[in-house]
């Protein structure tokens, strides 16, 4: 089952939905408005709206809008917050001040592979974080993040975007955790435990 990644993200042209039972088409910019329209339509036409209807609606909505930002319903989403931004900016500064270079491609690939198999891997609930983060990494810290290596993937233990975190020297990342008094509960297989 699929669900929209965030109620605030709108696909190009808005959300389109054709009710599979009645064949009536709907179009709205916001999911909440669309849910209301479709629900009222279904009630007025004696169609099911209880039980698992909403989950099936979201799945069908994602299928009918292939360019929409959707993810698996079982996948956890991490919404970027002020603590994440603080951690990210502290990491950028620490990297620049350390004078260390980013990890080589082989180590980067090893880390990303571990993260992508980790049960604490989730989805980042931020539509513009990827491009903005890559730019800040390059300009401030001198770290070049390969594009789309793990698009929209986040570590649920620390909140970091996997494609960015995997590029930094472990000493810098551990120093940032210490500076911010953070003790993320990394999975036992995590490369941060090396």
């Amino acid at each position: 089952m699929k669900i929209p990644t965030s109620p605030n993200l709108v696909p190009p042209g808005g959300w389109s939905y054709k009710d599979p039972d009645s064949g009536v088409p709907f179009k709205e910019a916001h999911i909440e408005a669309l849910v209301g329209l479709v629900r009222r339509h279904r009630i007025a036409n004696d169609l099911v709206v209880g039980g698992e209807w909403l989950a099936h609606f979201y799945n069908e909505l994602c299928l009918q809008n292939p360019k929409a930002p959707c993810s698996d319903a079982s996948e956890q989403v991490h919404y970027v917050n002020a603590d994440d931004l603080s951690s990210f900016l502290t990491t950028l500064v620490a990297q620049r001040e350390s004078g260390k270079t980013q990890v080589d491609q082989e180590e980067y690939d090893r880390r990303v592979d571990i993260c992508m198999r980790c049960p604490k891997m989730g989805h980042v609930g931020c539509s513009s974080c990827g491009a903005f983060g890559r730019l800040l990494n390059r300009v401030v810290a001198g770290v070049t993040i390969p594009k789309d290596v793990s698009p929209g993937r986040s570590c649920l233990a620390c909140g970091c975007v996997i494609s960015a975190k995997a590029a930094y020297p472990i000493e810098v990342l551990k120093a940032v955790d210490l500076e911010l008094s953070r003790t993320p509960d990394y999975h036992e297989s995590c490369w941060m435990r090396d």
Side-chain angles (χ1 to χ4, degrees):
M1 295 286 270
K2 296 276 191 189
I3 57 168
T5 303
S6 167
N8 300 322
L9 300 178
V10 181
W15 293 97
S16 298
Y17 181 78
K18 184 176 181 179
D19 190 280
D21 296 320
S22 69
V24 174
F26 298 89
K27 190 165 183 76
E28 271 294 334
H30 300 285
I31 291 177
E32 292 86 1
L34 182 61
V35 168
L37 281 174
V38 173
R39 185 183 306 271
R40 286 189 298 276
H41 163 75
R42 292 182 65 84
I43 289 170
N45 290 283
D46 292 323
L47 298 171
V48 175
V49 291
E52 295 291 315
W53 172 77
L54 191 58
H56 291 287
F57 166 81
Y58 283 139
N59 186 61
E60 186 65 29
L61 181 65
C62 289
L63 293 174
Q64 290 183 26
N65 293 268
K67 293 185 178 181
C70 291
S71 59
D72 289 324
S74 61
E75 185 176 274
Q76 295 183 43
V77 177
H78 174 79
Y79 292 98
V80 176
N81 58 43
D83 288 340
D84 297 330
L85 184 57
S86 173
S87 176
F88 176 60
L89 294 174
T90 302
T91 303
L92 293 178
V93 171
Q95 169 67 16
R96 187 183 68 216
E97 290 175 350
S98 76
K100 295 187 181 295
T101 59
Q102 70 188 71
V103 300
D104 63 33
Q105 189 66 46
E106 184 178 337
E107 175 61 10
Y108 180 82
D109 292 342
R110 181 187 80 84
R111 291 176 176 186
V112 169
D113 183 55
I114 290 169
C115 291
M116 295 305 285
R117 290 182 282 118
C118 181
K120 292 193 176 194
M121 188 254 320
H123 187 80
V124 179
C126 176
S127 62
S128 58
C129 290
F132 182 64
R134 278 191 299 278
L135 176 64
L136 279 177
N137 277 291
R138 190 179 81 238
V139 172
V140 178
V143 173
T144 303
I145 307 301
K147 190 173 182 178
D148 294 329
V149 101
S150 56
R153 301 299 181 204
S154 173
C155 173
L156 297 174
C158 66
C160 293
V161 174
I162 291 169
S163 61
K165 183 167 187 162
Y168 283 86
I170 199 162
E171 303 83 10
V172 170
L173 298 170
K174 287 184 176 184
V176 169
D177 281 348
L178 188 61
E179 181 180 336
L180 297 176
S181 301
R182 294 186 337 160
T183 52
D185 184 23
Y186 296 115
H187 188 264
E188 62 190 28
S189 66
C190 182
W191 53 266
M192 280 295 291
R193 292 182 178 259
D194 291 351

